[in-house]
Amino acid sequence: MPDSPSIATCFTTRHRPGRQQTNVGGVRRARCVHCGLLLMRTAISRRWIVADQLG
C-alpha cells in the first residue's frame, strides 16, 4: 500500500500542491501532487483553488 493518499483524497478533502510553484503578480500556481490539476492561491484567499478545466 502506498504511503501517499490516493486521487480519491482530492475529491473528498483538499488538493495538495507540489513543491514546484510559480509566483506571478501575487498569485501562486502549482500542480496537485495526486491528481495533477492546476491550482492557484492568492494572498487574500490563502486557500488553494482549482484553476484548471474540469471535465
Side-chain angles (χ1 to χ4, degrees), residues 15-31:
H15 295 278
R16 186 168 157 222
R19 289 183 181 249
Q20 184 177 359
Q21 300 177 6
T22 60
N23 190 359
V24 178
V27 177
R28 295 187 101 167
R29 295 183 187 273
R31 292 252 175 220

Side-chain angles (χ1 to χ4, degrees), residues 14 26 28 40-49:
R14 288 195 281 173
R28 295 187 101 167
M40 66 180 273
R41 174 181 148 177
T42 63
I44 295 171
S45 71
R46 307 282 301 165
R47 287 183 52 193
W48 288 99
I49 58 172

